Each structure stands twice: as structure tokens, then as C-alpha cells.
Amino acid sequence: MDMKRIRRLSHSHTSPDPLKGEFEGEALPFSHHGKKNGSQISIPVFVILICVVGITLFVVTSGVHRSESIVTIATAGGGGGGEAKRVSLSRFRNGPINKDRTLGGLLATSGFDDLSCLSRYRTAFYHKIIPHKPSRYLIQKLRAHESLQKRCGPGTNSYRKAVEQLRSGQRNNFDQDCNYLVWISYSGLGNRILTVASAFLYSLLTNRVLLIDRGKDMDDLFCEPFPETSWLLPLDFPLTNTLANFSITSPESYGNMIKNKVGVHKGNFIYLHLDHGYNDNDKLFFCEEDQNTIQNARWLMLRSDIYFVPSLFLNSLFKDELNQLFPEKDAVFHHLGRYLFHPTNAVWGLITRYYDSYLAKADEIVGIQVRVFEIDPGPFRHVLDQIISCTQNEGLLPQIVEHEIGPPATKRKSKAVLFTSLNMGYYEHIRSMYWESPTSTGEIVSVYQPSYEGYQQSERNKHNRKAWAEMYLLSLTDKLVTSGWSTFGYVAQGLGGLKPWIMFRPENRTVPNPPCRRDMSMEPCFHSPPFYDCQKKKGIDTGKLVPHVRHCDDITWGIKLVDEDTS
């Protein structure tokens, strides 16, 4: 039977009208006046009928209320002066739902225009309850940092004086409390998100105002994270046209200043080159003695494409502070990411429309993020085999069988599979596989992929909106499979508080054995850490110094944060 005929047949059969017989036009076996076939209907039968109808309505309405929730959200100024609006959120699936709009105190309760960034306080309603809670000390530190950003940020006298000092090179100390870290927009979106989080943690540890170079689209993708101020670097900043030209050869880089024995003072700035190809002098950034020198500069310019947080935990200057901020060592990016990165309304619309249309009704959502590091576009058979082997061997997706096993269940469990990939081929094969064959468990498996861009297009706004939306959608899944080495997957797992299954990078176009493994932590991997003992001034394996910093599963020379109890 073809699909058109199936649709015609399904539309031709309508549900019985409760006020008529089984078919339209057939009267019920009693009249409006309580007569049955011309005789009086008995009172007990009438009472029973009313009870049945009442119970049915109760069950139906209960089902509606289980899938919807009414919340009150301010529609103007976060200070509480706006009009309250009751909003229906129909996303809820099975299990407890997170209704804490401040994410455990991470987010400030005032100082924002809610309508300008719908995602900020509605994020919680799209996540199940996540067990990782921010420490009280982190919450206090965030509120103090927000005050610093407001007091010293763009538009303030302190900022204007600091910019004047940068232009003139004077050493006069206008405001000792107002020092700055400028993040330079660079690399792909996943890398940018991870480096902004790294820069923010560093600014938190050193009491610096964080300012973001907006690049092509940072202001188009992310809402302002700090209340009553902006983190965007003003367009008239003196070095705006110079930022993109900084490189490993720049004389202002800290590595070259050390090499050329240039002194550091308040009147000059330091360029921090923390790119994956940085040299040994640039890596001295992570040493205690050099940190004391770097803090003499009022302005720091940072260019990076690496998540360098793990090495901050190895610096004795920051160790005690970091232990107070993050008792759970494997939840650093989880907390910083949910605090900093709120999709703009344009991106939030992409997220919520897709989620509510395709994913919200599933009993379980499995995310599969595929990143292939090949010159050829693919798809590749070995990658497809790896995806199937990983998901089925680990019990994330069911096996397929030739015939249905047992009688059909009245309520089958449904799984939604969310694919993200630059190529459509893997999604199409998995979708066809679960459409053409029944599953061994009787589960209904639906497969979706929001986009397929063909190749990475980091400089296109529309491409990056979709990429950001897909990272966020992956963070809303229940179980997640990611591709090793991919910062796209790192962002999704961290935001979602998910410990993923990592698919190892294939070699010689063969499926790795095993095809994947459950990661030891939801933290991103630092791909190019320094291997240097700053005290003894010699090489050392920085992945074996402390229990909470270990080598990554996907990149053996990389390091990552793990919970200290991880075996």
C-alpha cells in the first residue's frame, strides 16, 4: 500500500462523536428527555453514565496538565517593574522537571530586560533536573564580578580613563580596581565558546573586566550575561583594527616580551598568545612567577582556540580559590557555560520550534554528534558502521529484527534520535534502518537532523546560528554520543551536564575497537597543554600531577578535569 493511500485512509476514518452514535447521524440509544426506545431510562443507569463521562474528562484533562505547565514571566525590565505574563510551556517529558529559573543561583534575579533575551530564564524549563549545583562561593563571586563589570565597564568614567591611558601609554594609576581582559574573536564557534569560558574564569580569578571582541557575529548569537552593562568591546576601542592581526610573532606577545626582556608596567598592554601552536615562552603564562608579572599590566589581549582551564588548576596561585569555587571539578564548564551563554531570541526560536515539533513528546532523546576529520565530504561506510556499533553495543539504540517480536504493546516506548552532522548520509541511513525494520525491544525510534551544511562555514552568520542551535539541542538530550576531538560536542555535553559516549577518531578508514567509550567526565579536553614544571623548570607530564587533572580519552596527550572520586 503506497503512502498516499495510507494517508487517504487515515483521514477518512474519524473518531466517533461523543454526542452521536459510532457513526455520524446515528442517534444515541436514549433521547434528550431520558427516554430509551420510547420508555423512561432508569436513574441508576443515568448516574453511572454521568460518572463514566466525568472520569473520562478527568483523565483527558490530567494528561493535558502533565504535558503543559503555566509559568509567570516578567515581560519587561528585570527589576520587577514589568507586567507579569502567564506562559504555557509544553515541552515537559517524563521525569522531574527543573523549574529553577536562576539555575541554582547562577543567574542574577534582576537587571535584565527579559523580553530582549527569552532564553535566559526559560532555559530551566527545557532541562530535566541536573544534580550539579553551583557552590555558594561561586554564586557570591559571580555577583561581585557583575558589580565590577558594571563599575568599570564601557560607558563608565573608569573605562574612559583606562582607554585614555592605553592610547597615551601613561603609567598613572587612575583606578586600581579596573583592569581589563579583552578576548579576541577567533576560530570556529565551538572553540570560541570554550575560550570565552576560559577567559571568563581567568578574569574571575584575577579580578579583571572581561570584554568581548564581537567579531562577525558574537552579538548575534549570545545575549549579554552581565546585568546593567555590556561585555561587548566598544567599536571605538583604540586597538579594534589591530586585534585580528595579533599573532605569535607580535612583539607585544608575552612570549616575545620575555624573549626580548621587555618590562611590564601599567602603561603598556600584553598580548597573550594561547593558540594551539604557541611556543614555550608563550606557555609561561601558566607559571606562578609569570602570572605575578602579567598582573602588572592594566590591559591584556587574549587570542586563543583552546580550553585552557585545566592548567589553571595546576597553578598554586589559583588552587585554593578554584577549590572553593568548584568543589565538583568536573562541572566547571557546566556552570560557567550556563551562566555565560544564552542564545539570542533569533537562535532561541530555532531551538524551541525544533524541540517542540520533533523531540518534546519522546520518552527518551538520544543525541548523536558526528564530526569527520576528512578532506573528502563523505559519507563514509566506516563512520556509519562506527555509529551503529557504538549506539547498539552500548544499549543506546535497539537492534533491528526481521519480524515483530510478540504482540504489539498498548504503549510502546518512543526514542527520538537527534543527529547533527555536516553530511546528511548518516542520518538518512539510520532513519531508513528504523523505518524499514522493527526493533528487538518494540521501541519506536524516530530520527531527525535539523541541518546539513555540507562543510564548516564559520564566518557565515546563518551557519553559526544553526550550529549554536544544534549544540544547544544536543545539550537537551538524555544520552549523548559525540565525536572525539570535536569542540562542538564538548560544548553540548558541558551545557547539558552529560557524560557522553565518545566515538574515537578512526585511523586508515577503519572502525576503532572499541568504537566508543563512556567519557570519564563531562568537561572539555585541553588539546595542547604545556608539559612543564614551573618550579623545577623542566619537562613533566601535567596529566599525572593531581587526581583531578588527567589525560583525555579522545586525545591522549590532552588533559581534562575529572571528579576526584573517578576511578
Side-chain angles (χ1 to χ4, degrees), residues 124-157:
F125 297 95
Y126 279 78
H127 280 283
K128 287 186 176 181
I129 292 176
I130 297 175
H132 309 284
K133 304 297 181 185
S135 68
R136 181 175 298 180
Y137 187 69
L138 174 59
I139 294 170
Q140 293 172 350
K141 191 78 173 180
L142 291 175
R143 298 295 87 81
H145 190 83
E146 289 163 0
S147 297
L148 176 68
Q149 293 275 154
K150 182 179 177 181
R151 187 174 70 254
C152 301
T156 64
N157 285 330

PDB file of all heavy atoms in Angstrom, residues 124-157:
ATOM      1  N   ALA A 124      15.639  26.777  31.975  1.00  0.00           N
ATOM      2  CA  ALA A 124      15.395  25.762  33.009  1.00  0.00           C
ATOM      3  C   ALA A 124      14.223  24.860  32.647  1.00  0.00           C
ATOM      4  O   ALA A 124      14.223  23.677  33.007  1.00  0.00           O
ATOM      5  CB  ALA A 124      15.139  26.446  34.345  1.00  0.00           C
ATOM      6  N   PHE A 125      13.249  25.378  31.945  1.00  0.00           N
ATOM      7  CA  PHE A 125      12.048  24.609  31.654  1.00  0.00           C
ATOM      8  C   PHE A 125      12.261  23.606  30.520  1.00  0.00           C
ATOM      9  O   PHE A 125      11.376  22.811  30.227  1.00  0.00           O
ATOM     10  CB  PHE A 125      10.897  25.552  31.319  1.00  0.00           C
ATOM     11  CG  PHE A 125      10.527  26.445  32.472  1.00  0.00           C
ATOM     12  CD1 PHE A 125      11.058  27.723  32.582  1.00  0.00           C
ATOM     13  CD2 PHE A 125       9.672  26.001  33.461  1.00  0.00           C
ATOM     14  CE1 PHE A 125      10.728  28.539  33.644  1.00  0.00           C
ATOM     15  CE2 PHE A 125       9.336  26.814  34.527  1.00  0.00           C
ATOM     16  CZ  PHE A 125       9.857  28.083  34.624  1.00  0.00           C
ATOM     17  N   TYR A 126      13.414  23.655  29.879  1.00  0.00           N
ATOM     18  CA  TYR A 126      13.715  22.691  28.828  1.00  0.00           C
ATOM     19  C   TYR A 126      14.713  21.624  29.283  1.00  0.00           C
ATOM     20  O   TYR A 126      15.117  20.774  28.506  1.00  0.00           O
ATOM     21  CB  TYR A 126      14.251  23.402  27.578  1.00  0.00           C
ATOM     22  CG  TYR A 126      13.148  23.984  26.738  1.00  0.00           C
ATOM     23  CD1 TYR A 126      12.532  25.180  27.098  1.00  0.00           C
ATOM     24  CD2 TYR A 126      12.684  23.338  25.608  1.00  0.00           C
ATOM     25  CE1 TYR A 126      11.496  25.710  26.343  1.00  0.00           C
ATOM     26  CE2 TYR A 126      11.660  23.860  24.840  1.00  0.00           C
ATOM     27  CZ  TYR A 126      11.072  25.048  25.217  1.00  0.00           C
ATOM     28  OH  TYR A 126      10.039  25.570  24.471  1.00  0.00           O
ATOM     29  N   HIS A 127      15.117  21.688  30.527  1.00  0.00           N
ATOM     30  CA  HIS A 127      16.041  20.701  31.071  1.00  0.00           C
ATOM     31  C   HIS A 127      15.359  19.903  32.181  1.00  0.00           C
ATOM     32  O   HIS A 127      14.568  20.439  32.949  1.00  0.00           O
ATOM     33  CB  HIS A 127      17.273  21.384  31.678  1.00  0.00           C
ATOM     34  CG  HIS A 127      18.301  21.789  30.673  1.00  0.00           C
ATOM     35  ND1 HIS A 127      19.165  20.898  30.084  1.00  0.00           N
ATOM     36  CD2 HIS A 127      18.611  23.002  30.165  1.00  0.00           C
ATOM     37  CE1 HIS A 127      19.964  21.540  29.250  1.00  0.00           C
ATOM     38  NE2 HIS A 127      19.646  22.817  29.273  1.00  0.00           N
ATOM     39  N   LYS A 128      15.701  18.628  32.260  1.00  0.00           N
ATOM     40  CA  LYS A 128      15.378  17.900  33.469  1.00  0.00           C
ATOM     41  C   LYS A 128      16.266  18.418  34.600  1.00  0.00           C
ATOM     42  O   LYS A 128      17.242  19.125  34.372  1.00  0.00           O
ATOM     43  CB  LYS A 128      15.609  16.394  33.267  1.00  0.00           C
ATOM     44  CG  LYS A 128      14.559  15.733  32.383  1.00  0.00           C
ATOM     45  CD  LYS A 128      14.752  14.229  32.351  1.00  0.00           C
ATOM     46  CE  LYS A 128      13.644  13.563  31.548  1.00  0.00           C
ATOM     47  NZ  LYS A 128      13.792  12.088  31.523  1.00  0.00           N
ATOM     48  N   ILE A 129      15.924  18.053  35.815  1.00  0.00           N
ATOM     49  CA  ILE A 129      16.727  18.496  36.954  1.00  0.00           C
ATOM     50  C   ILE A 129      18.135  17.922  36.832  1.00  0.00           C
ATOM     51  O   ILE A 129      18.320  16.722  36.654  1.00  0.00           O
ATOM     52  CB  ILE A 129      16.069  18.071  38.279  1.00  0.00           C
ATOM     53  CG1 ILE A 129      14.759  18.835  38.482  1.00  0.00           C
ATOM     54  CG2 ILE A 129      17.019  18.319  39.442  1.00  0.00           C
ATOM     55  CD1 ILE A 129      13.990  18.424  39.706  1.00  0.00           C
ATOM     56  N   ILE A 130      19.128  18.785  36.916  1.00  0.00           N
ATOM     57  CA  ILE A 130      20.527  18.379  36.810  1.00  0.00           C
ATOM     58  C   ILE A 130      21.130  18.399  38.210  1.00  0.00           C
ATOM     59  O   ILE A 130      20.966  19.371  38.949  1.00  0.00           O
ATOM     60  CB  ILE A 130      21.292  19.324  35.864  1.00  0.00           C
ATOM     61  CG1 ILE A 130      20.690  19.224  34.450  1.00  0.00           C
ATOM     62  CG2 ILE A 130      22.772  18.984  35.837  1.00  0.00           C
ATOM     63  CD1 ILE A 130      21.275  20.201  33.462  1.00  0.00           C
ATOM     64  N   PRO A 131      21.835  17.346  38.606  1.00  0.00           N
ATOM     65  CA  PRO A 131      22.280  17.231  40.001  1.00  0.00           C
ATOM     66  C   PRO A 131      23.413  18.163  40.397  1.00  0.00           C
ATOM     67  O   PRO A 131      23.682  18.325  41.588  1.00  0.00           O
ATOM     68  CB  PRO A 131      22.740  15.766  40.098  1.00  0.00           C
ATOM     69  CG  PRO A 131      23.126  15.398  38.701  1.00  0.00           C
ATOM     70  CD  PRO A 131      22.178  16.148  37.806  1.00  0.00           C
ATOM     71  N   HIS A 132      24.080  18.795  39.429  1.00  0.00           N
ATOM     72  CA  HIS A 132      25.256  19.603  39.751  1.00  0.00           C
ATOM     73  C   HIS A 132      24.832  21.015  40.158  1.00  0.00           C
ATOM     74  O   HIS A 132      24.314  21.779  39.346  1.00  0.00           O
ATOM     75  CB  HIS A 132      26.197  19.648  38.552  1.00  0.00           C
ATOM     76  CG  HIS A 132      26.515  18.300  38.009  1.00  0.00           C
ATOM     77  ND1 HIS A 132      27.388  17.428  38.623  1.00  0.00           N
ATOM     78  CD2 HIS A 132      26.054  17.643  36.901  1.00  0.00           C
ATOM     79  CE1 HIS A 132      27.451  16.305  37.930  1.00  0.00           C
ATOM     80  NE2 HIS A 132      26.648  16.411  36.874  1.00  0.00           N
ATOM     81  N   LYS A 133      25.063  21.355  41.400  1.00  0.00           N
ATOM     82  CA  LYS A 133      24.674  22.658  41.932  1.00  0.00           C
ATOM     83  C   LYS A 133      25.895  23.558  42.099  1.00  0.00           C
ATOM     84  O   LYS A 133      26.944  23.104  42.553  1.00  0.00           O
ATOM     85  CB  LYS A 133      23.978  22.498  43.290  1.00  0.00           C
ATOM     86  CG  LYS A 133      22.760  21.578  43.274  1.00  0.00           C
ATOM     87  CD  LYS A 133      21.663  22.127  42.393  1.00  0.00           C
ATOM     88  CE  LYS A 133      20.436  21.231  42.400  1.00  0.00           C
ATOM     89  NZ  LYS A 133      19.407  21.706  41.433  1.00  0.00           N
ATOM     90  N   PRO A 134      25.774  24.834  41.738  1.00  0.00           N
ATOM     91  CA  PRO A 134      26.905  25.751  41.939  1.00  0.00           C
ATOM     92  C   PRO A 134      27.158  25.973  43.427  1.00  0.00           C
ATOM     93  O   PRO A 134      26.228  25.984  44.232  1.00  0.00           O
ATOM     94  CB  PRO A 134      26.450  27.038  41.252  1.00  0.00           C
ATOM     95  CG  PRO A 134      24.947  26.972  41.262  1.00  0.00           C
ATOM     96  CD  PRO A 134      24.603  25.523  41.143  1.00  0.00           C
ATOM     97  N   SER A 135      28.414  26.138  43.774  1.00  0.00           N
ATOM     98  CA  SER A 135      28.753  26.390  45.179  1.00  0.00           C
ATOM     99  C   SER A 135      28.292  27.780  45.586  1.00  0.00           C
ATOM    100  O   SER A 135      28.164  28.687  44.755  1.00  0.00           O
ATOM    101  CB  SER A 135      30.260  26.262  45.387  1.00  0.00           C
ATOM    102  OG  SER A 135      30.948  27.320  44.727  1.00  0.00           O
ATOM    103  N   ARG A 136      28.070  27.955  46.874  1.00  0.00           N
ATOM    104  CA  ARG A 136      27.677  29.276  47.384  1.00  0.00           C
ATOM    105  C   ARG A 136      28.774  30.295  47.109  1.00  0.00           C
ATOM    106  O   ARG A 136      28.496  31.459  46.803  1.00  0.00           O
ATOM    107  CB  ARG A 136      27.393  29.176  48.890  1.00  0.00           C
ATOM    108  CG  ARG A 136      26.951  30.491  49.514  1.00  0.00           C
ATOM    109  CD  ARG A 136      26.562  30.326  50.965  1.00  0.00           C
ATOM    110  NE  ARG A 136      25.429  29.408  51.112  1.00  0.00           N
ATOM    111  CZ  ARG A 136      24.886  29.092  52.286  1.00  0.00           C
ATOM    112  NH1 ARG A 136      25.377  29.598  53.405  1.00  0.00           N
ATOM    113  NH2 ARG A 136      23.860  28.264  52.336  1.00  0.00           N
ATOM    114  N   TYR A 137      30.014  29.845  47.186  1.00  0.00           N
ATOM    115  CA  TYR A 137      31.122  30.763  46.939  1.00  0.00           C
ATOM    116  C   TYR A 137      31.144  31.229  45.487  1.00  0.00           C
ATOM    117  O   TYR A 137      31.409  32.401  45.204  1.00  0.00           O
ATOM    118  CB  TYR A 137      32.449  30.092  47.302  1.00  0.00           C
ATOM    119  CG  TYR A 137      33.634  31.020  47.236  1.00  0.00           C
ATOM    120  CD1 TYR A 137      33.792  32.059  48.153  1.00  0.00           C
ATOM    121  CD2 TYR A 137      34.600  30.883  46.239  1.00  0.00           C
ATOM    122  CE1 TYR A 137      34.868  32.921  48.088  1.00  0.00           C
ATOM    123  CE2 TYR A 137      35.687  31.734  46.167  1.00  0.00           C
ATOM    124  CZ  TYR A 137      35.815  32.758  47.092  1.00  0.00           C
ATOM    125  OH  TYR A 137      36.880  33.623  47.024  1.00  0.00           O
ATOM    126  N   LEU A 138      30.863  30.320  44.546  1.00  0.00           N
ATOM    127  CA  LEU A 138      30.798  30.710  43.138  1.00  0.00           C
ATOM    128  C   LEU A 138      29.698  31.739  42.923  1.00  0.00           C
ATOM    129  O   LEU A 138      29.896  32.736  42.203  1.00  0.00           O
ATOM    130  CB  LEU A 138      30.554  29.481  42.257  1.00  0.00           C
ATOM    131  CG  LEU A 138      30.323  29.755  40.762  1.00  0.00           C
ATOM    132  CD1 LEU A 138      31.506  30.471  40.138  1.00  0.00           C
ATOM    133  CD2 LEU A 138      30.023  28.458  40.012  1.00  0.00           C
ATOM    134  N   ILE A 139      28.552  31.533  43.531  1.00  0.00           N
ATOM    135  CA  ILE A 139      27.437  32.479  43.378  1.00  0.00           C
ATOM    136  C   ILE A 139      27.832  33.856  43.915  1.00  0.00           C
ATOM    137  O   ILE A 139      27.574  34.887  43.277  1.00  0.00           O
ATOM    138  CB  ILE A 139      26.189  31.936  44.092  1.00  0.00           C
ATOM    139  CG1 ILE A 139      25.690  30.658  43.385  1.00  0.00           C
ATOM    140  CG2 ILE A 139      25.080  32.985  44.131  1.00  0.00           C
ATOM    141  CD1 ILE A 139      24.614  29.920  44.143  1.00  0.00           C
ATOM    142  N   GLN A 140      28.468  33.892  45.076  1.00  0.00           N
ATOM    143  CA  GLN A 140      28.916  35.163  45.644  1.00  0.00           C
ATOM    144  C   GLN A 140      29.943  35.836  44.733  1.00  0.00           C
ATOM    145  O   GLN A 140      29.912  37.058  44.515  1.00  0.00           O
ATOM    146  CB  GLN A 140      29.518  34.926  47.032  1.00  0.00           C
ATOM    147  CG  GLN A 140      28.518  34.470  48.086  1.00  0.00           C
ATOM    148  CD  GLN A 140      29.184  34.055  49.383  1.00  0.00           C
ATOM    149  OE1 GLN A 140      30.415  33.932  49.463  1.00  0.00           O
ATOM    150  NE2 GLN A 140      28.389  33.826  50.416  1.00  0.00           N
ATOM    151  N   LYS A 141      30.842  35.041  44.188  1.00  0.00           N
ATOM    152  CA  LYS A 141      31.888  35.581  43.320  1.00  0.00           C
ATOM    153  C   LYS A 141      31.286  36.148  42.030  1.00  0.00           C
ATOM    154  O   LYS A 141      31.728  37.196  41.526  1.00  0.00           O
ATOM    155  CB  LYS A 141      32.872  34.459  42.974  1.00  0.00           C
ATOM    156  CG  LYS A 141      34.141  34.924  42.301  1.00  0.00           C
ATOM    157  CD  LYS A 141      35.123  35.522  43.287  1.00  0.00           C
ATOM    158  CE  LYS A 141      36.463  35.819  42.631  1.00  0.00           C
ATOM    159  NZ  LYS A 141      37.418  36.406  43.577  1.00  0.00           N
ATOM    160  N   LEU A 142      30.266  35.490  41.505  1.00  0.00           N
ATOM    161  CA  LEU A 142      29.607  35.986  40.295  1.00  0.00           C
ATOM    162  C   LEU A 142      28.918  37.320  40.542  1.00  0.00           C
ATOM    163  O   LEU A 142      28.981  38.233  39.714  1.00  0.00           O
ATOM    164  CB  LEU A 142      28.600  34.956  39.787  1.00  0.00           C
ATOM    165  CG  LEU A 142      29.180  33.660  39.218  1.00  0.00           C
ATOM    166  CD1 LEU A 142      28.065  32.678  38.878  1.00  0.00           C
ATOM    167  CD2 LEU A 142      30.045  33.939  37.990  1.00  0.00           C
ATOM    168  N   ARG A 143      28.236  37.440  41.691  1.00  0.00           N
ATOM    169  CA  ARG A 143      27.568  38.710  41.996  1.00  0.00           C
ATOM    170  C   ARG A 143      28.604  39.834  42.160  1.00  0.00           C
ATOM    171  O   ARG A 143      28.380  40.967  41.715  1.00  0.00           O
ATOM    172  CB  ARG A 143      26.735  38.573  43.279  1.00  0.00           C
ATOM    173  CG  ARG A 143      25.604  37.556  43.258  1.00  0.00           C
ATOM    174  CD  ARG A 143      24.485  37.888  42.288  1.00  0.00           C
ATOM    175  NE  ARG A 143      24.735  37.378  40.946  1.00  0.00           N
ATOM    176  CZ  ARG A 143      24.520  36.110  40.572  1.00  0.00           C
ATOM    177  NH1 ARG A 143      24.032  35.228  41.430  1.00  0.00           N
ATOM    178  NH2 ARG A 143      24.770  35.736  39.330  1.00  0.00           N
ATOM    179  N   ALA A 144      29.735  39.518  42.797  1.00  0.00           N
ATOM    180  CA  ALA A 144      30.783  40.527  42.960  1.00  0.00           C
ATOM    181  C   ALA A 144      31.383  40.908  41.606  1.00  0.00           C
ATOM    182  O   ALA A 144      31.684  42.084  41.349  1.00  0.00           O
ATOM    183  CB  ALA A 144      31.873  39.995  43.896  1.00  0.00           C
ATOM    184  N   HIS A 145      31.537  39.929  40.731  1.00  0.00           N
ATOM    185  CA  HIS A 145      32.111  40.223  39.415  1.00  0.00           C
ATOM    186  C   HIS A 145      31.146  41.054  38.574  1.00  0.00           C
ATOM    187  O   HIS A 145      31.577  41.925  37.806  1.00  0.00           O
ATOM    188  CB  HIS A 145      32.471  38.931  38.691  1.00  0.00           C
ATOM    189  CG  HIS A 145      33.267  39.166  37.447  1.00  0.00           C
ATOM    190  ND1 HIS A 145      34.630  39.347  37.464  1.00  0.00           N
ATOM    191  CD2 HIS A 145      32.888  39.293  36.143  1.00  0.00           C
ATOM    192  CE1 HIS A 145      35.057  39.572  36.225  1.00  0.00           C
ATOM    193  NE2 HIS A 145      34.017  39.537  35.410  1.00  0.00           N
ATOM    194  N   GLU A 146      29.856  40.794  38.713  1.00  0.00           N
ATOM    195  CA  GLU A 146      28.878  41.610  37.994  1.00  0.00           C
ATOM    196  C   GLU A 146      28.975  43.070  38.418  1.00  0.00           C
ATOM    197  O   GLU A 146      28.862  43.978  37.582  1.00  0.00           O
ATOM    198  CB  GLU A 146      27.479  41.066  38.257  1.00  0.00           C
ATOM    199  CG  GLU A 146      27.211  39.733  37.570  1.00  0.00           C
ATOM    200  CD  GLU A 146      26.012  38.986  38.118  1.00  0.00           C
ATOM    201  OE1 GLU A 146      25.359  39.510  39.056  1.00  0.00           O
ATOM    202  OE2 GLU A 146      25.709  37.886  37.628  1.00  0.00           O
ATOM    203  N   SER A 147      29.215  43.293  39.691  1.00  0.00           N
ATOM    204  CA  SER A 147      29.393  44.673  40.180  1.00  0.00           C
ATOM    205  C   SER A 147      30.646  45.296  39.575  1.00  0.00           C
ATOM    206  O   SER A 147      30.652  46.481  39.213  1.00  0.00           O
ATOM    207  CB  SER A 147      29.495  44.683  41.710  1.00  0.00           C
ATOM    208  OG  SER A 147      28.298  44.214  42.294  1.00  0.00           O
ATOM    209  N   LEU A 148      31.712  44.512  39.455  1.00  0.00           N
ATOM    210  CA  LEU A 148      32.942  45.011  38.841  1.00  0.00           C
ATOM    211  C   LEU A 148      32.719  45.368  37.380  1.00  0.00           C
ATOM    212  O   LEU A 148      33.156  46.437  36.913  1.00  0.00           O
ATOM    213  CB  LEU A 148      34.039  43.946  38.962  1.00  0.00           C
ATOM    214  CG  LEU A 148      35.373  44.277  38.288  1.00  0.00           C
ATOM    215  CD1 LEU A 148      36.062  45.434  39.005  1.00  0.00           C
ATOM    216  CD2 LEU A 148      36.292  43.043  38.270  1.00  0.00           C
ATOM    217  N   GLN A 149      32.030  44.505  36.648  1.00  0.00           N
ATOM    218  CA  GLN A 149      31.747  44.781  35.231  1.00  0.00           C
ATOM    219  C   GLN A 149      30.926  46.060  35.081  1.00  0.00           C
ATOM    220  O   GLN A 149      31.157  46.859  34.169  1.00  0.00           O
ATOM    221  CB  GLN A 149      30.980  43.604  34.610  1.00  0.00           C
ATOM    222  CG  GLN A 149      31.755  42.305  34.500  1.00  0.00           C
ATOM    223  CD  GLN A 149      32.613  42.204  33.256  1.00  0.00           C
ATOM    224  OE1 GLN A 149      33.620  41.493  33.221  1.00  0.00           O
ATOM    225  NE2 GLN A 149      32.243  42.915  32.215  1.00  0.00           N
ATOM    226  N   LYS A 150      29.974  46.263  35.981  1.00  0.00           N
ATOM    227  CA  LYS A 150      29.119  47.451  35.925  1.00  0.00           C
ATOM    228  C   LYS A 150      29.900  48.714  36.299  1.00  0.00           C
ATOM    229  O   LYS A 150      29.727  49.777  35.677  1.00  0.00           O
ATOM    230  CB  LYS A 150      27.929  47.267  36.854  1.00  0.00           C
ATOM    231  CG  LYS A 150      26.942  48.425  36.844  1.00  0.00           C
ATOM    232  CD  LYS A 150      25.773  48.151  37.784  1.00  0.00           C
ATOM    233  CE  LYS A 150      24.819  49.337  37.822  1.00  0.00           C
ATOM    234  NZ  LYS A 150      23.693  49.084  38.759  1.00  0.00           N
ATOM    235  N   ARG A 151      30.777  48.603  37.279  1.00  0.00           N
ATOM    236  CA  ARG A 151      31.514  49.769  37.767  1.00  0.00           C
ATOM    237  C   ARG A 151      32.618  50.205  36.805  1.00  0.00           C
ATOM    238  O   ARG A 151      32.922  51.398  36.692  1.00  0.00           O
ATOM    239  CB  ARG A 151      32.124  49.436  39.139  1.00  0.00           C
ATOM    240  CG  ARG A 151      32.774  50.632  39.826  1.00  0.00           C
ATOM    241  CD  ARG A 151      33.223  50.307  41.236  1.00  0.00           C
ATOM    242  NE  ARG A 151      34.358  49.389  41.286  1.00  0.00           N
ATOM    243  CZ  ARG A 151      34.297  48.112  41.636  1.00  0.00           C
ATOM    244  NH1 ARG A 151      33.132  47.585  41.980  1.00  0.00           N
ATOM    245  NH2 ARG A 151      35.369  47.349  41.656  1.00  0.00           N
ATOM    246  N   CYS A 152      33.219  49.214  36.087  1.00  0.00           N
ATOM    247  CA  CYS A 152      34.380  49.517  35.260  1.00  0.00           C
ATOM    248  C   CYS A 152      34.145  49.325  33.770  1.00  0.00           C
ATOM    249  O   CYS A 152      35.053  49.554  32.968  1.00  0.00           O
ATOM    250  CB  CYS A 152      35.558  48.627  35.680  1.00  0.00           C
ATOM    251  SG  CYS A 152      36.063  48.798  37.410  1.00  0.00           S
ATOM    252  N   GLY A 153      32.946  48.868  33.389  1.00  0.00           N
ATOM    253  CA  GLY A 153      32.684  48.521  32.000  1.00  0.00           C
ATOM    254  C   GLY A 153      32.485  49.709  31.089  1.00  0.00           C
ATOM    255  O   GLY A 153      32.585  50.871  31.511  1.00  0.00           O
ATOM    256  N   PRO A 154      32.211  49.445  29.815  1.00  0.00           N
ATOM    257  CA  PRO A 154      32.005  50.507  28.819  1.00  0.00           C
ATOM    258  C   PRO A 154      30.965  51.527  29.275  1.00  0.00           C
ATOM    259  O   PRO A 154      29.940  51.180  29.858  1.00  0.00           O
ATOM    260  CB  PRO A 154      31.513  49.732  27.591  1.00  0.00           C
ATOM    261  CG  PRO A 154      32.115  48.377  27.744  1.00  0.00           C
ATOM    262  CD  PRO A 154      32.103  48.101  29.213  1.00  0.00           C
ATOM    263  N   GLY A 155      31.259  52.794  29.009  1.00  0.00           N
ATOM    264  CA  GLY A 155      30.344  53.867  29.382  1.00  0.00           C
ATOM    265  C   GLY A 155      30.636  54.493  30.728  1.00  0.00           C
ATOM    266  O   GLY A 155      30.064  55.532  31.068  1.00  0.00           O
ATOM    267  N   THR A 156      31.538  53.914  31.513  1.00  0.00           N
ATOM    268  CA  THR A 156      31.862  54.461  32.833  1.00  0.00           C
ATOM    269  C   THR A 156      33.091  55.372  32.736  1.00  0.00           C
ATOM    270  O   THR A 156      33.893  55.279  31.804  1.00  0.00           O
ATOM    271  CB  THR A 156      32.154  53.334  33.837  1.00  0.00           C
ATOM    272  OG1 THR A 156      33.328  52.620  33.415  1.00  0.00           O
ATOM    273  CG2 THR A 156      30.975  52.373  33.926  1.00  0.00           C
ATOM    274  N   ASN A 157      33.258  56.225  33.736  1.00  0.00           N
ATOM    275  CA  ASN A 157      34.433  57.088  33.779  1.00  0.00           C
ATOM    276  C   ASN A 157      35.711  56.266  33.895  1.00  0.00           C
ATOM    277  O   ASN A 157      36.744  56.608  33.312  1.00  0.00           O
ATOM    278  CB  ASN A 157      34.335  58.064  34.960  1.00  0.00           C
ATOM    279  CG  ASN A 157      33.338  59.177  34.701  1.00  0.00           C
ATOM    280  OD1 ASN A 157      33.132  59.572  33.542  1.00  0.00           O
ATOM    281  ND2 ASN A 157      32.710  59.675  35.755  1.00  0.00           N
TER     282      ASN A 157
END
